[in-house]
Amino acid sequence: RYGKLKGSNAIYFFNDEIHFGGRSWEVKTNEIEEILFFVKAGVLDKAMQSIEKMFQDLEKSKAFSVERARLVSAQFVSTLINSLAEMGVIIDNNLSFDISPYKRIFELDSLPDMQQTLLELTEKVTSQVTRARSKKTNNIIHEVKEFIQQEMHIPEMSLSYVSNKFHMNSSYFSRIFKQDIGISFTDYLLKCRMEKAVKLLNETDWKAYQIAEKVGIKDPFYFSNCFKKVMGVSVQE
């Protein structure tokens, strides 16, 4: 029994201090949910620590048995798969998410092996979730950039305006936009407006106030100041 608790690659003697702990134990749903939270957030180190703690608690309990550990591990895998399905994350084939994780768990007969299996699985899944979120973010940012080009003539265009259009929290949208583009949304919008203004100055004979309206700026004096700030020269120049 102690060999299954500690792993089979060791020798134990009668006079070793061997004990299994003295308290009962049962896995709590919120413990698994906490691990899944870290997986969804892409915080791998926290997810790993939570798994290790779960197994440490099981090791110290008087309720330890290989069968109990298998059931806990299977419950974790099942909850993980269901959670990914709810997120709409498509699993890579190389994760072997068919019967393989369950089959492997029920073939193992020691706690360290089961823990290692869940750690490896969690690492792969967290990486997959991070890639999926990154791809989704890139798609959203691409759509936002196209939206700005098409609708920059709207004076109300702003961070909150666009985040509402794309059904996102404005703080979250601001963060992912700056991470992807490298500058804030406000600076990017202003840059796009001034680039469009330069294009219109070169291709039309419109007055400055007309161009200002076409790029979504009502106040011609503010437009002139913004143009000089971004382009380094005045509209007249």
Side-chain angles (χ1 to χ4, degrees):
R1 189 182 173 203
Y2 198 65
K4 292 183 178 185
L5 174 66
K6 291 296 187 180
S8 57
N9 297 324
I11 296 174
Y12 304 100
F13 297 91
F14 272 177
N15 59 353
D16 285 343
E17 184 180 352
I18 295 177
H19 56 83
F20 293 93
R23 59 188 181 86
S24 61
W25 178 91
E26 61 179 275
V27 66
K28 297 179 177 63
T29 303
N30 61 349
E31 289 178 337
I32 291 180
E33 290 297 332
E34 180 183 73
I35 299 170
L36 293 180
F37 170 81
F38 292 131
V39 170
K40 292 176 183 178
V43 187
L44 179 60
D45 57 339
K46 292 289 187 182
M48 296 291 212
Q49 289 171 14
S50 297
I51 291 173
E52 289 170 354
K53 182 180 182 302
M54 186 171 70
F55 275 86
Q56 287 169 3
D57 289 345
L58 177 55
E59 178 183 332
K60 294 174 183 176
S61 76
K62 63 183 179 182
F64 167 75
S65 70
V66 173
E67 291 73 21
R68 189 73 175 272
R70 287 190 186 121
L71 291 174
V72 170
S73 299
Q75 179 185 349
F76 174 82
V77 172
S78 177
T79 308
L80 181 63
I81 294 173
N82 290 335
S83 182
L84 291 177
E86 290 172 1
M87 292 174 64
V89 175
I90 300 173
I91 304 302
D92 284 346
N93 291 332
N94 59 11
L95 287 181
S96 302
F97 259 78
D98 45 12
I99 194 63
S100 300
Y102 298 104
K103 183 179 179 182
R104 184 175 180 189
I105 285 168
F106 282 93
E107 286 176 347
L108 298 173
D109 61 0
S110 78
L111 204 63
D113 289 341
M114 290 181 205
Q115 177 177 316
Q116 186 60 33
T117 296
L118 295 195
L119 289 172
E120 291 173 0
L121 189 60
T122 299
E123 183 175 7
K124 291 179 181 178
V125 170
T126 304
S127 176
Q128 175 69 13
V129 168
T130 301
R131 287 198 301 272
R133 180 178 287 110
S134 177
K135 183 177 180 181
K136 183 178 179 181
T137 298
N138 290 340
N139 291 339
I140 291 173
I141 298 302
H142 177 72
E143 291 177 13
V144 168
K145 289 166 70 176
E146 288 189 340
F147 179 76
I148 289 173
Q149 291 299 325
Q150 294 168 5
E151 308 293 338
M152 71 171 68
H153 61 277
I154 301 174
E156 294 77 22
M157 179 82 73
S158 64
L159 175 68
S160 59
Y161 181 88
V162 174
S163 59
N164 286 334
K165 281 285 183 182
F166 285 83
H167 310 290
M168 286 189 290
N169 174 274
S170 58
S171 297
Y172 172 73
F173 171 65
S174 176
R175 185 172 69 254
I176 65 170
F177 189 90
K178 188 168 185 178
Q179 286 175 349
D180 191 87
I181 303 298
I183 58 176
S184 70
F185 174 85
T186 302
D187 288 343
Y188 181 82
L189 174 60
L190 184 60
K191 175 175 173 289
C192 290
R193 281 174 162 164
M194 295 305 103
E195 288 174 350
K196 180 69 176 292
V198 170
K199 188 172 185 296
L200 293 174
L201 280 169
N202 289 329
E203 297 177 358
T204 71
D205 56 359
W206 293 344
K207 301 295 185 183
Y209 75 90
Q210 294 174 304
I211 292 176
E213 290 179 356
K214 288 293 182 181
V215 298
I217 299 176
K218 291 181 178 180
D219 185 345
F221 295 103
Y222 178 67
F223 169 74
S224 296
N225 289 335
C226 289
F227 192 93
K228 181 70 179 287
K229 176 184 176 182
V230 174
M231 307 310 299
V233 295
S234 68
V235 175
Q236 290 73 20
E237 290 172 313

